[in-house]
Amino acid sequence: MYIAEEPFWDRTLRLIREIWPLGEQNELKDKIHVDLPDSDLNVLRRAISACLGGRGGEVSARSRAAELGRAYLVLGADGRFKFLQLLAREYDVDNVAVEKAIEARNSITSPLELQAANQKLRLLLDPPRARLFQQFNELKEGVKFLVDLRAELIPWSRKDNELKALDQDVHRLLVSWFDIGFLDLRRITWDTPAAILEKLIKYESVHEISSWADMKNRLREDRRCYAFFHPRMPDEPLIFVEVALVSGISDNVQELLDVHAPIEDPLKSDTAIFYSISNCQKGLAGVSFGNFLIKRVVADLTAKLPNLKNFSTLSPIPGFLTWLRGQDESFDLGNKERELWESVQSADDPIEVLSRMVESSGEDDGASNAETLKNLLLTLCARYLALAKRGDQAYDRVAHFHLSNGAQIERINWGANQTQAGMEQSAGIMVNYLYKLSQIEKNHEMYRGRGEITLSSHVKKLLK
Amino acid sequence: MYIAEEPFWDRTLRLIREIWPLGEQNELKDKIHVDLPDSDLNVLRRAISACLGGRGGEVSARSRAAELGRAYLVLGADGRFKFLQLLAREYDVDNVAVEKAIEARNSITSPLELQAANQKLRLLLDPPRARLFQQFNELKEGVKFLVDLRAELIPWSRKDNELKALDQDVHRLLVSWFDIGFLDLRRITWDTPAAILEKLIKYESVHEISSWADMKNRLREDRRCYAFFHPRMPDEPLIFVEVALVSGISDNVQELLDVHAPIEDPLKSDTAIFYSISNCQKGLAGVSFGNFLIKRVVADLTAKLPNLKNFSTLSPIPGFLTWLRGQDESFDLGNKERELWESVQSADDPIEVLSRMVESSGEDDGASNAETLKNLLLTLCARYLALAKRGDQAYDRVAHFHLSNGAQIERINWGANQTQAGMEQSAGIMVNYLYKLSQIEKNHEMYRGRGEITLSSHVKKLLK
Amino acid sequence: MYIAEEPFWDRTLRLIREIWPLGEQNELKDKIHVDLPDSDLNVLRRAISACLGGRGGEVSARSRAAELGRAYLVLGADGRFKFLQLLAREYDVDNVAVEKAIEARNSITSPLELQAANQKLRLLLDPPRARLFQQFNELKEGVKFLVDLRAELIPWSRKDNELKALDQDVHRLLVSWFDIGFLDLRRITWDTPAAILEKLIKYESVHEISSWADMKNRLREDRRCYAFFHPRMPDEPLIFVEVALVSGISDNVQELLDVHAPIEDPLKSDTAIFYSISNCQKGLAGVSFGNFLIKRVVADLTAKLPNLKNFSTLSPIPGFLTWLRGQDESFDLGNKERELWESVQSADDPIEVLSRMVESSGEDDGASNAETLKNLLLTLCARYLALAKRGDQAYDRVAHFHLSNGAQIERINWGANQTQAGMEQSAGIMVNYLYKLSQIEKNHEMYRGRGEITLSSHVKKLLK
Amino acid sequence: MYIAEEPFWDRTLRLIREIWPLGEQNELKDKIHVDLPDSDLNVLRRAISACLGGRGGEVSARSRAAELGRAYLVLGADGRFKFLQLLAREYDVDNVAVEKAIEARNSITSPLELQAANQKLRLLLDPPRARLFQQFNELKEGVKFLVDLRAELIPWSRKDNELKALDQDVHRLLVSWFDIGFLDLRRITWDTPAAILEKLIKYESVHEISSWADMKNRLREDRRCYAFFHPRMPDEPLIFVEVALVSGISDNVQELLDVHAPIEDPLKSDTAIFYSISNCQKGLAGVSFGNFLIKRVVADLTAKLPNLKNFSTLSPIPGFLTWLRGQDESFDLGNKERELWESVQSADDPIEVLSRMVESSGEDDGASNAETLKNLLLTLCARYLALAKRGDQAYDRVAHFHLSNGAQIERINWGANQTQAGMEQSAGIMVNYLYKLSQIEKNHEMYRGRGEITLSSHVKKLLK
């Protein structure tokens, strides 16, 4: 073994030999955290160079990269940080070589030579460490390795520009590996392996799955769940969506999640409600699947359930109250609503006051007050969704996602999510984004091109 | 539909609608050859720009690319040539933008900005058409689409520099898609789908498979066959290798292929003979799998058949006689052999004369002559394999492949392949390349680094 | 080992130990034929008794039965015959015990005791050897073992009454194992394992499959092939049917089998022609699947290809000429036809003369003669199919099969099968049996109840 | 439809049409309970006779039986009871025909005719309703149908002799359907479908699975779980066993079930502890799988984990305290133990007193008392296991199961199960039954033949 004499390698190789044959015992692996003392960095440099040096052929470069990858896996967080920092600092683009290539390119006139020069330049602009990341693919779980590596790298990269550049290299590689054309769409049912359902329970980020009974209820006959998988990470969902098959567009998420709700005949349902979409892999931040997922699920549902006419979401409005807290202007409101709005402005935290009113609104007898409160908040929410922008984009990130995909804002629903989270984000209000198949392309282009948002007449009325 | 008025699209879209739902009926599809008149090129330009222009989102860009891909598929060869030429000429790197970016980069001093400038420059050096090829992945058989497109492109690219650059773009993309980490190694048996066996019969390029009975014989108990597959082309082998499990290193390929040969007990065999490796996809020329295939097959065989001690090939020597025909020097030979060699030099085609001698050597009674002939040709062949070079590489392409992988030249076998092809290539001589597991890395490095070839004592003796 | 000292067992056990681990090497196994000398029969008796004696538990009884089964497998034909004869003679019903039980039963009056007595009697009437056959199921391929055993037993049982009774035991067991509810219907395509397609080629008994190209042609887009499999014999088809998807009811089988015939769009076809049904396992003679196969295939085709309106066979008429050869009456015929019929009666073999006429009828210019010949034979054939009976059953066995299933005789086709076999069986005539879904039940009951055959108007006209 | 005018059928058929297409919606089906008024019994009789009458062919008999089966499924408990009672009373063996056949048989002398007469008699002794049960196999879930039917039938059959005879018919059919040769052994892991794990949670009857986390813990790296399945009930486990891979024979089940116990390397474990075996299907009572399950699991573990040397259970002793409560003799005991035993005899419930002592024994300081108590109960328990019999069988049903399979009583463990159930059954004592591979056959024969139980020296010492 070419570096057998070194202490760091000695340790890691011994560990690898002991641990790897156990196979699935990830728990054991997870408990090992070897240090990487600075005195061993030279050993690491030599190992990296052996992969990148190119003296050996592809096969042995890959074998060495796999060994390097396994060494990375037995390091503790400190060691991994040092490892990545080394890659970030010492295996970046060689700017001297780049400048020479630029100089050479400047004196070229023939188109053919220019093409060659361009290609050479592009190769030089690809940092050597990017090649190493590609080679880690030799590891049996090489794809997952890189996804997990990036999940750890992202927080570090926020505070370190070199690591940020490193992260961009990994991101670029993952974008190519996770091209939508390579992914499998799988339907998730109660017959799906428990190990995968356990992951859905863990990854669900919109409406928490509180138990296995809750999970089972979301997979019953009038529900659907789909996830994307990568062929080399067959046990790891990348993103999943939960759908309810109902009659008419739902306005209340508690009803959808109620385990006691009667089961409908899905062949008679006219509406598919996408009530939850969750990304699963932190390491795939910035690699987008959601739009393709919705498109493919709509296609699959349409083929299997010809009665379906409406495809709509029932979505949270995560930024509403936060945004509202920052507004001090006097909105264009009806009399009663303006009065109510102005009456709370004097409070330390007017939004807090409004929230408390919403929470107690069912209890008191002032029905007309409750109506005013509802009118006020629905109006303000419509404004938020339809008019609040960052540049040309909707301010609300969920709104931006669905509008980019070609949906329209269909309806704003009072009392739609009365959980604590729902109350804190949006005073219990939720919104339906409607995917009208014939309008998707047009909506999409208007929104992306000019920031124009398509609104239903219901929402337009709220804005008047 | 955004370009519904145009005649070219009209035609292709109608055809697509009619043909595609038939699904597997590739035969029908293969019979359609739409023309692409120059007057329609503008339509095509607009369609390409709609994909690349970025006005729409990723989902619609992909849908359009898929449509464009299906249009490509219904074109005849002429139309496809024009299509690719358009991409090659008009969607290459924008050199004006590149030069601007270079200029901007020149004035940068901060490392952070330099990094950003490098990245921007690299993006500009990636031709737009490369993005389009990536998007074709939306097609249901998108991976195969690109492989087949390149198979057609390669011959054209030999005569056209612009198409050659285009081919490099496609090659680069395929190298990334067909990274060894994504491929599946599958064992091929008589229980493999007939559709795949039919392809092996078609793709075998070393020892023709003459019938289904011949195919079956190559999959019997003491034979092995392995192939690489891509998860998105599950019905298309990429490369395959055929292995015989025998006792002692084989010196005759007819015996290996004999359907009447008795079956050995594979658990008792000590030797695995790799007697045929064939690439299957013309469109993957220059994407190398063979080295990884051998490595993985050796690993699998070792795990399952612990008695195996030797891993060797029995290989053709495709360039021997061609090379010999070009040699006029007087080699360092034994007396009788020199005499024989000189005696044929006066003929118009000395190699032809020698070949005829070999063919009739079994028949006459001049046993000593036959021995001289054999000595002469084995000696010359050893010289060819061990000493003939192109630069640092072995002149013989099969030798180069195995030596690069770390094999040594083990034995040169007389009368090993008496088929017409074997006689014409190498006067019936074949060679064993031996993979000694403990030596592979060392051999590999010596050969790649310094062009040094490891020889067995048997071969060394022939060279004296 | 409880019988380790005996010579017969010594030999067989040693062989088993040597051969079995090779697993799939059936060829090796097939070459072993151990003798069973009479002096060893006592050893065998003891081994059988050890299985049936019941001293051990079920687990060890099964293990011993498996050993006995493997011993059977290494015997030559002679040894197997002796083995089965021993079972037939010495392990039949114990009539003394039966008579005692009958006597005891006679004196019973209470219904409860009668029930117990009946059950006891039934158990005694089940021969011990039947239990042994059941136990062979412990063999890894136990189901196939029994099917193959019976295939060998059937010819012997024709000449030996004791073996015949033994065969009935095996038959009864196989009827229960191969209950239709346990079978899998699989569609066979070109993606089916070659090992299975090879078996279809071998088992096809109606229209020989002449090559792999012919096999592939029968699996093309407008053809269907289905087979039944048993979950414990997953590599062995039990019965298969070949179907052509066409427009209108086919009248010519050569056209259906023509590899150059253009492919139709199956979604547009209105007719499914069942042109071949073959049983695969000799050992399952008398276990009927064909009726269920047709029913399930019709259901599957109907679900997938809603355009299909007609389900018909294009069937051979295997007994026509043989039957005709035995007829000397003067049929009720038209003038010309009677003249022709009488003109050949004087020949040694009138049918031979007619056959030769048919073969040469395309060649001569006597068009009206040809017409008379055709009319004569179609009329006679209609009589044969519709009127010739054995008891209440149609004389023709193919006719009987389809009529039992509820089909009607739809059309008799001239020149429909001009192969040698077709000419010899039925002068090239074939018949369509039509499965009218709404009539199947009624036809079936009329035929089974009263032997009444449903005829189309076309056939009725031929009978006038 | 042949009985379309009748009210009962009208109702059931309409329901079937409405409900069945929903497929998996068993919940809906489970809520339907149609009545079966006596006035409709004639309709039912006609339907049964249509199946059994034999006028139609097998295909239509099956279709009608399937219809009948679906009708059964929509009945409420009352209706089902009546349905089964009808079968029990009116479709039993025809004793008149049997007696005629017996009479005819009495006058036979030729062996051949005797064989035929026996066969005829056997057929007559098979009640017609048994044929109907076989035909229900046409239902898509026909096998499960019959298993579930029997689960309902068993309690009814305990109080009704006619239903008891009916149950014997169903039992006989299920024994043949569930022959061990047809079953699949599957390993259960955390990757098994959740729907199946949910069933294990429900069916576990020895050590309750308290949560999904508990379930997961029983499937971790150093645990194994195996179940038998029938190919036609692929989602329903029949029986399953849970195994712990440990070092040395376990003496405490809480430790085995502890979710916090460290994970061992299974490749290093020397002992497999079978700590739980549960039957899953009430309808398969009396169809034995457990012995085969243990045999196959031992074979599989031995092949995969060559380090395993001991195969042992850690088993409950369900009948110990119940048995002890019935003993009033003075056992042959040590002085202290006799004193203790006699001291409690005066109590109303001496066993209750002893139990309370065990529960509080950890708490007080009287270490020597605790020791006496332990000695007393271990001695009594050894007596119970080794000497208490019903006929030749061990009195304890778990002991009988393992002793029948060839195990020996290895060790009796104090404080091995301190759950409430464990205390109530056996004062917290558990026992190891050891499967010594070389002794299994001998132990088995000694136990089955003569009721002799093999004991370890540890147990023998307790008996002195």
Side-chain angles (χ1 to χ4, degrees), chain C residues 307-356:
Chain C
N307 269 24
L308 288 180
K309 300 290 171 261
N310 312 313
F311 297 90
S312 172
T313 74
L314 180 58
S315 300
I317 310 167
F320 175 38
L321 289 194
T322 306
W323 168 85
L324 194 56
R325 194 161 270 127
Q327 308 299 314
D328 49 9
E329 52 165 326
S330 81
F331 294 101
D332 185 18
L333 297 163
N335 290 340
K336 285 187 188 170
E337 287 75 17
R338 183 181 322 112
E339 213 173 293
L340 178 56
W341 177 244
E342 286 168 357
S343 76
V344 299
Q345 291 301 320
S346 57
D348 269 6
D349 183 345
I351 304 310
E352 179 66 24
V353 178
L354 281 174
S355 289
R356 275 207 309 274

Side-chain angles (χ1 to χ4, degrees), chain B residues 404-458:
Chain B
S404 298
N405 293 340
Q408 66 175 46
I409 304 182
E410 178 65 9
R411 200 173 62 198
I412 300 176
N413 305 292
W414 182 250
N417 178 3
Q418 295 174 10
T419 63
Q420 199 188 340
M423 296 308 289
E424 283 175 4
Q425 285 184 345
S426 56
I429 302 173
M430 297 187 83
V431 57
N432 300 117
Y433 300 105
L434 183 70
Y435 284 83
K436 260 191 184 159
L437 299 188
S438 60
Q439 305 287 324
I440 285 178
E441 181 78 0
K442 213 187 84 207
N443 289 345
H444 168 84
E445 295 202 352
M446 280 170 55
Y447 179 72
R448 293 291 289 237
R450 289 166 279 163
E452 274 179 42
I453 296 174
T454 309
L455 305 172
S456 69
S457 55
H458 161 86

Side-chain angles (χ1 to χ4, degrees), chain D residues 153 156-158 160-169:
Chain D
L153 171 57
W156 293 333
S157 74
R158 292 209 188 95
D160 181 317
N161 279 323
E162 286 163 329
L163 288 179
K164 188 167 200 167
L166 189 74
D167 177 56
Q168 285 167 351
D169 296 340

Side-chain angles (χ1 to χ4, degrees), chain B residues 284-317:
Chain B
L284 290 176
V287 185
S288 64
F289 309 117
N291 37 10
F292 287 100
L293 180 62
I294 288 177
K295 186 192 161 198
R296 295 236 192 129
V297 168
V298 167
D300 195 64
L301 290 173
T302 306
K304 287 180 184 146
L305 300 169
N307 269 23
L308 288 180
K309 300 290 172 260
N310 312 312
F311 297 91
S312 171
T313 74
L314 179 59
S315 300
I317 311 167

Side-chain angles (χ1 to χ4, degrees), chain A residues 50-79:
Chain A
C51 294
L52 297 176
R55 224 177 26 137
E58 242 190 300
V59 174
S60 37
R62 290 267 172 157
S63 299
R64 285 165 182 173
E67 208 163 59
L68 204 56
R70 284 190 282 265
Y72 179 86
L73 283 174
V74 295
L75 289 173
D78 263 19

Side-chain angles (χ1 to χ4, degrees), chain D residues 9 58 110 159-161 200 207-208 228 237 257 294 347 368 377 380 384 390 407 413 419 441 459:
Chain D
W9 274 120
E58 239 189 304
S110 104
K159 306 169 202 154
D160 181 317
N161 279 323
L200 298 196
H207 304 292
E208 193 196 353
F228 271 139
L257 296 176
I294 288 178
S368 71
L377 282 165
L380 293 173
Y384 168 66
R390 315 187 201 226
N413 305 291
T419 63
E441 180 78 1
V459 177

